[in-house]
Amino acid sequence: MRWEFHNDAPIYAQVMERVERMIVSGALTPGERLPSVRTFALEAGVNPNTMQKALTELERGGLIYSQRTSGHFVTEDQAVIASVRAELAELHTDRFLQDMRELGFTSAQTAELLHRKLENKEEE
Amino acid sequence: MRWEFHNDAPIYAQVMERVERMIVSGALTPGERLPSVRTFALEAGVNPNTMQKALTELERGGLIYSQRTSGHFVTEDQAVIASVRAELAELHTDRFLQDMRELGFTSAQTAELLHRKLENKEEE
Amino acid sequence: MRWEFHNDAPIYAQVMERVERMIVSGALTPGERLPSVRTFALEAGVNPNTMQKALTELERGGLIYSQRTSGHFVTEDQAVIASVRAELAELHTDRFLQDMRELGFTSAQTAELLHRKLENKEEE
Amino acid sequence: MRWEFHNDAPIYAQVMERVERMIVSGALTPGERLPSVRTFALEAGVNPNTMQKALTELERGGLIYSQRTSGHFVTEDQAVIASVRAELAELHTDRFLQDMRELGFTSAQTAELLHRKLENKEEE
DNA sequence: GTGGTCTAGACCACC
DNA sequence: GTGGTCTAGACCACA
């Protein structure tokens, strides 16, 4: 399964985002071993160096850690994961509000619309 | 200013989206004449055929209409514009909820977070 | 002038150290433009990618900053430079005390020896 | 445990330094028999000829002496050891002052910094 | 096998 | 020209 990438951001950054989401969503659990750099790169359809860079950057953020001979692992510090998750949630919310503002919706109108949508769902 | 495009969708579709947004946000007003296909294509940095296809598709949706001799115009039917605007709002909202769900947020939690964000803004 | 490198540390790290010293010692002044990545790499006798990595890491530390089209520059924030300088001084001092301890000198004896050395210099 | 070597000096010289330190620090005591050249070379991960040269040079300095049939021994002359120890201390001190000078510290400032460091240690 | 580093060579956007 | 990114291929230490 080769991953898909956009033109508007470096591939390594998109790889980072993707792995980030796998972690905060629980698809990769705390302490779990990631595929080897080479294998993961193959899976993503990118060069091993690109994957290496992405993982190194993620390591800097504390979301994963590496052990020289045995691989990369998801952090066991759930606080770090929670923090990143909150950050991403913030980011999506901001982007959403921004998108809606571009359509001419005020924040209040946006919230109102979201509520109506959720109520409709309940009825279904 | 050349527009920026992704890899994950045909260019013409992205052009459509962009013009759509210009219309529903009011950057292009009802009845306003669009630049010529060639000019508009140049401005966007796409092939005139691509721009042509985008405009034709938009015409099918009723958001613009063309007059053989004088060019393309934004519809004067504000109901159509409002409808498209609502559709886009729906789309952004769905995508937002989807993104948040991928982070493990329920719809209720997402709404809660949005509220807190708006309250904080008021305080500022 | 090709630089000389040891085996006991990655080249990019040694390049970082070297540039660091050039900055904190004043050989490169605040705001000064560094040679281009390619030129600098040639001067150091390393691959441009290696120099790029070294400069990127230094940028992360705030000691230099980059402008996409015009090059890398030494930070103008003298506080950052002073801080790095203090850090390096600390490091050298610790290493010195450690080396002397391996020779069987206590810290007090080391300090005593240093003093005698400085006094002898004055006499010269 | 294979020893680690730099690129910036001949291996035999680095071996010398290391054995020197073992002697002056007391890890090898006066009169103690060294491992055989072959064994010692294996331990250090160097060619026996290299180890031979290092020991011969150390012998010239009087720090060790050899007996044709029974091997190499640490000198029993403590004055020689003390002298070498002083020499090494001198060398480390000079290198320290040089490093600090490269950071822009005068000798006085360096001494001052060392003092403050030792005082802090006492408090701990 | 693993991560990590290094080199070589290419392409891109920006100005 | 500039920095930045990407790929390909190689080597190393570690276990």
Side-chain angles (χ1 to χ4, degrees), chain B:
Chain B
M1 181 193 66
R2 302 188 74 207
W3 299 357
E4 293 176 1
F5 301 107
H6 310 305
N7 265 339
D8 56 356
I11 302 275
Y12 83 90
Q14 297 182 55
V15 171
M16 279 180 67
E17 262 192 47
R18 177 114 180 195
V19 177
E20 241 176 17
R21 262 185 303 168
M22 293 169 75
I23 294 173
V24 299
S25 70
L28 291 171
T29 56
E32 181 174 351
R33 186 182 175 279
L34 298 179
S36 80
V37 171
R38 278 195 208 89
T39 308
F40 213 7
L42 198 68
E43 187 181 324
V46 301
N47 187 290
N49 291 326
T50 302
M51 180 58 76
Q52 181 63 260
K53 176 161 187 180
L55 296 186
T56 302
E57 290 293 321
L58 281 176
E59 200 178 344
R60 285 189 50 202
L63 212 48
I64 66 177
Y65 64 93
S66 69
Q67 285 186 335
R68 295 191 191 254
T69 59
S70 50
H72 290 86
F73 297 82
V74 177
T75 181
E76 280 137 11
D77 183 347
Q78 310 234 5
V80 169
I81 295 179
S83 150
V84 170
R85 180 165 170 268
E87 208 174 287
L88 285 178
E90 190 96 0
L91 187 135
H92 283 137
T93 308
D94 286 344
R95 190 186 295 159
F96 172 54
L97 289 172
Q98 175 58 25
D99 284 344
M100 295 300 280
R101 214 173 297 123
E102 280 180 7
L103 294 185
F105 286 81
T106 66
S107 296
Q109 288 170 333
T110 299
E112 161 70 14
L113 191 148
L114 190 76
H115 259 129
R116 258 187 297 138
K117 190 159 201 81
L118 295 184
E119 281 164 16
N120 287 342
K121 264 194 174 170
E122 281 175 20
E123 291 171 12
E124 286 171 17

Side-chain angles (χ1 to χ4, degrees), chain A residues 9-12 38 45-47 49-50 53 69:
Chain A
I11 295 187
Y12 81 90
R38 291 164 181 77
V46 301
N47 184 283
N49 288 325
T50 303
K53 179 164 186 176
T69 61

Side-chain angles (χ1 to χ4, degrees), chain D residues 38-52:
Chain D
R38 276 195 209 90
T39 308
F40 214 8
L42 199 67
E43 188 181 324
V46 302
N47 187 289
N49 291 326
T50 303
M51 180 58 75
Q52 180 65 260

Side-chain angles (χ1 to χ4, degrees), chain A residues 29-77:
Chain A
T29 56
E32 182 174 351
R33 185 181 174 281
L34 270 53
S36 83
V37 173
R38 291 164 181 77
T39 307
F40 214 7
L42 200 68
E43 190 180 322
V46 301
N47 184 283
N49 288 325
T50 303
M51 180 57 74
Q52 174 79 271
K53 179 164 186 176
L55 295 186
T56 301
E57 292 292 323
L58 281 178
E59 194 178 353
R60 200 183 306 273
L63 212 49
I64 67 177
Y65 63 92
S66 73
Q67 284 184 336
R68 303 168 222 179
T69 61
S70 53
H72 287 89
F73 298 82
V74 177
T75 182
E76 280 134 14
D77 184 346

Side-chain angles (χ1 to χ4, degrees), chain D residues 53-72:
Chain D
K53 176 160 187 181
L55 297 186
T56 302
E57 290 293 321
L58 281 176
E59 202 178 342
R60 284 188 53 202
L63 213 50
I64 67 177
Y65 64 94
S66 68
Q67 285 186 333
R68 294 189 190 257
T69 59
S70 51
H72 290 86

Side-chain angles (χ1 to χ4, degrees), chain A residues 14-25:
Chain A
Q14 297 180 55
V15 171
M16 281 178 67
E17 264 191 43
R18 177 122 177 190
V19 177
E20 233 176 25
R21 262 182 303 168
M22 292 168 77
I23 293 174
V24 298
S25 72

